[in-house]
Amino acid sequence: MRGIIFMLMVSLVGSQKLKYEPSFTEGMIHVYMYEGVILTGLPESGFNRAGVRIKCGLEIVPLVHKTFLLKVTDFQIQEYNGIWPREPFISARKLTQKLAPEVMKPVKFEYSNGRVGNIYAPADLPGDILNIHRGILNIFGINIKKSQNFYELQEAGIEGVCLTNYIIQENKKANRVIVTKSKDLNYCQEKVMTYTGMAYAHLCPISQQSGRNIRVTSTYTYVLKPTAVGAILQRATVQEVHQFTPFHELDGAAMMEARQNLVLVNIKAAVIHLLQVQFVERGTVKYHSEEDVLRKPIELMKHQNVEKTIIETLKHLALHNLDKVHSNTPAKFLQLVHLLRSAPNETIANVWANYNRNQFRRWIMFALPAVGTTGALRFLKTKIQQIEVTKAEAAQALVVAMHQVTADLQSLSVVRELFVIAHLQQSSILRQIVYLGYGSMVFRYCAGQSSCPNDILKPLHDMLVEAIAQANEEDIVLSLKAIGNAGQRESIKRIIKLLPGFGTAAERLSLKIQVDALMALRNIIRKDPGKVQAITIQLFMNRRNHPELRMSACAIFLFTEPPLNSLLVLASSLLKETSLQVASFAYSQFRSLARSSLPSLNSLAAGCNVAAKLLSPSFDKLGVQFSRVFHPDLFNYKLMAGASAKVILINNAGSLIPTVLAAKLTGHALGASADLVEAGLRMEGLQEVITKSQAPVRGVPDVKQTQRFMNMFPGGKSLPEKTPLASAYMKLFGQEIAFVEFRKDDIHKAIQSITGVPDKHSTLRKLVDRLQKPVELHTDGALLMVELRRLVPTCLGLPMELSLHSAAVARATLNVAANVPSSVSSLSQLLNANIQLKAQINPSMAVYTRAVMGINTPFIQSGLELEAKIHSALPVDVSARINIKERNLKIESAPSQEERQIISLKSEVFAVSRNIENLAAAKLTPILPDTKEASITSQKFESLWHNQKNAQLYSGIGADGAEGLQEPQLLTPRPSVYNTCMRTTKFGFEVCLDAKMENAVFVRHSPLYRLIGAHAAKVLIRPARSETGIEKLVLEIQTGPKAGSKMIRLLEKEEVLHERFDGRLVLTKESRSQTGKHNHTRTRSSSFSSSSRSSSGSKVTSRRSSSSSEQSLGWHRRTMRNNCTSHCSSSSNSRHASSTNTWRDLVGDIDAPTLIILARSRRTDGKQQGYQVTGSVESSGGKPKMQLRAVELAEDSRWKMCVDAAIPKAHKAMIMYRWGENCQKYKLSFKASMGYLANHPAMKVKAEWSQIPAVIMSGAVKIGPGVAFLLGFSNRLKSNPSHQITTLVVLTSPWTIDTIVKLPRFTIYYQGFELPLPVLVHAVAPVVQARGFKSIAMIPELFLTMNQRECIAENERVVTFDNNELKYKVPNDCHYVLTKDCSPTPKFVLLIRRADNQQTKKAIKLLMAVPNITVEAYPTQVGITLFVDNVETTLSNQEKVIQSEYLFYIWRKWHTSKQGISDRAGLLGPRTAEVFFDTKCDIKK
């Protein structure tokens, strides 16, 4: 009977179907053992790591249907800090005792079919503790699909909703199911992540594709036992890896590994007890962080009395930073910021009330804005409203606070309260700061939202509407800039109303406001790039718009990164462009972007490359006088970092200075980019001043011209009334923080504030009186420069933080006293006076940076920390005497009396463990273990087979595999130490560099492993030991004819000697004393002479063979090409003679010196020591020459350095360096010549030497080829002359050059190097081309006239200013307008007509407004007849016609065998430089 019953039970059980969905058996308690471990460090063993381990027991108790209770038992928390895996975990008993009661509180949760539902916990259970429970419950989340063995889905977990892959394996024999799931936590639909500090950065997905800085993965392995009621979880293993590197991930990364182990211990019958705990719903298994978690301190702090700790920190800061900044001050300042964040508002108020004194007040004002909480911002608002802070303090605090406060509804409401404070609205600076800051806060608040609430933007929109209605330009500009900072698409409709073609209001607004409205669209590109593209392309295509507006639209259009088809539309329109300024601007931007190496601009660069090739035939030859955009950049893929810059230069036709100059610097790192700083300057009003001025600057400005220009400002008659003289703005991280407009009233107010009087005649006198009084200035500042924090949950429920904090403190004291003669009453007298200055400057600065990767909770911290410190202090005590008239400058300073540390840098990486209950036992262990060994180069090789011990070890490995070998001990090399000093006993000091480096590069050669470890470096200045002391250091510079009077040591007369120079006859000099004492002749060594003779034959052969390719050098290429072969065969002696004469011209004697530089020290015994540099220039005979001589002041020293340069011919320049004893030991010469190579303009530079220091030669041989290879040069093995390097630079196109360098053993070359600016040889004036190197002296004048263009009327041909050639026949004898002044106050009109009885020649009539003059010129048979106000004037070589107080020059101008008349008085305004007439009319503009 029993057997029958048993068989029936077996058959009944076998007939039941097994279920694979995880579940818990009803009525039974499941008991598990749980262990979770987190370790942070480098992935290799042997380094120090920091970690946390949690061990406990778990009981899953059933309650009602699908609801269970989680109870934690035997909770323990342990810490790890040491060499992995050698050191053990250490129990944190005090922390365990504190956390155990909270952790062991029961938590109720819903569970069905492997999915964890809502979680219920006591209301007083801290969120950080509940997250540990979430980490445990997250393990039980298993989604089983029995019909599939491999599948993927979006699964909810502690880290959010992320893509999860499942693999199901079933072992039917053992009745087990193995489930493996993996998650790539970089791809999550809803990722749990909290971060701050990145709102202004642009993320770059392309950079992250090539190498992620952060990569997180997790793998779960389950063992399930299917039963009839569901699968029971037998074992679970979780492994999660977080890796981070600031560089490329393939070069290694720091790693944080989290592991969880869960093992089923027992299943027992449940005994239900009535729970006395009230549960509340606390969310799901998804990790939950506190709202102010990002304001938690980066270092655990346990303060019984926060106010007391704040006061102690304030006293420390005030005490240790009186004279200079202490090296630990930034760390203390950062601590003060975190203390204020943790303090309640009442504590902050008490500290302010009790310690509101100067030495403490400034530190509170520095720290409060960096707190970044709404309470701190409200506290500042209250103090500003109660006028308890000055305007300067309020401005400094608000600028920082508005950008560091957390942008939420509460903080935005506090800022809106600032709008209505009366005295704040009356201050233009404070009002500007508040509105611009509010726009920035709106940008951060709406950064993560698709749309921004209208009530947030309403204050800015209302201000703009009201300003337009009242025609208040200042408020229009302010509101536009604030809206631009906000960068929301909801503002587009308001902005475009101010743009031409979109709204009627634009017609009444100035060009500057239209440009400002356009610039307000830049930040909106993030939200709606397509809309901004449509607006900007429409503005650009409308040629009726102002060129500056169109150029600004083009810049913003390309900033949106448009597709290729849009770029081609823009390029096609440029082919029909009528404005060369616009065409040049757009084309230069295409070319710059086409060369970009930034990953984020790859697509745009490819499109711009196509557009640039389409436009290059038309615009390649546009000169530098047109508007341009420069976009240089550099990106290193190994570092995954780079930098880029953008410079915008907008010119006006014929303007001396640009209308707009703007520059931006962008940093690229960590897969993102940020506009670090941007500044712009607009000079429209300054152009108007120059236009109205009667005497514009021509050529190189001198003192009189400078004085004349400065005299316009005190009176202000010529300053514009409405247009700002200039305006400037500044942006940080893409947010405008300040802008200023310089108007006529502003200049008067500034002068009055300095002098205290409005009278212009006493302004200079008051300035001089102010200079006479000593000026003492103390300034300091402290700033939390960087705060980046990123928190993500780990599988254990503990948050993993990546953070970077950097604080800086700077202080400077300045004491300046000036001595100006009391008789000075005019600017000319001030410029000619003898001015003495004494200055004591003591600047100091310290920077503290901390980077953290690891676990950061309110009760425990564990991970890696990098600490870096920079400290600099350089006190200076100098006195100076300046006399501009005498061209003398003398600076004196006291010598160094004690050792001073100029700058020090220190960084180290630690493995850190802290817990709140035992902060005194916190561990900061250097990540590199303290087990040093000698360098690998000093190790000895030991044979394995001859060492019995190693042989046994080897056999053990072979027998048992790796188990026979113990964990190897990582031996780190000893630190690299570098000490060097540069001593100058003549000046009594030495500069020393001490450096020490210890890193992990011995494990892996990568940037990260070079950073890991300890690094220290410092630069010291210390007194040098000498027999006699030094009283004073003196630097004196004297130029002009009085330079010779300052000479201390007379130069010796030099005689020319013949010498063999690399196989050719050259000249040297013998030094002779003027008294005839050092009369000796230096002879060359026979070995060098023989080597020179042996190489001379091969050198001549080389020259003959290459003469056919080099004969074309010189601007007159065709002339030099005649019969070169026959001439070369018979000109060996003549070439030597010519070379001798050339060097004789180079080293010939020159007149008295025109430059003296004395760098000397005055000793205690009255003697002087140091150096004397003498310079002389001569240009007689049309052959400019220059000489520099440097000698020691000591009479017994024979050391001397000689530099001789000359331009013997127009297209040849030479320079020779000689140094050593009497300039005879070492020689190095250079020859440069201009010419052609393969019909392309070229320059040839030849370097020759007889003997140079071996260090220079060996360094060039070792480093040169490697540098050339890195720069992309190709090489060709070819024997070239020894002791000679020839470089050829060929301009193959206006934008590209080819470079050929002939070295003694081989030749290297580079083809197609692109230039940042075009070099237009054809645009260079023939006169300049003919002068060749001699035109170097004309560079300042060429720079000032580089925007100059020409209009020519000759016969029936007219060439306009923009180089358009027209044919027009004057039909009658009537006057026609050739050109006129189109400024608001026209100065002239130039008329032209056909000359009487001469069909091909012209007559002109010039009408001028101020002075009222009419000038007429007619061609005659004997020349030109001139009438001034209908009175015939006879022309001599230079004739002056005086009208009123103006001076009008008319003279005969002789050039190119022609004569005519020319006006160069400037009465035609700065836009017209010259009107020349010699029967044809030539106007230069």
Side-chain angles (χ1 to χ4, degrees), residues 489 492 521 523-533 560:
R489 67 178 67 177
I492 292 179
L521 297 172
N523 282 335
I524 305 179
I525 294 175
R526 289 193 183 187
K527 291 292 187 71
D528 197 346
K531 185 66 174 177
V532 177
Q533 281 183 23
T560 63

Side-chain angles (χ1 to χ4, degrees), residues 1107-1118:
S1107 62
S1108 61
S1109 63
E1110 296 181 0
Q1111 62 184 344
S1112 59
L1113 288 173
W1115 290 98
H1116 307 288
R1117 174 171 52 89
R1118 297 179 179 177

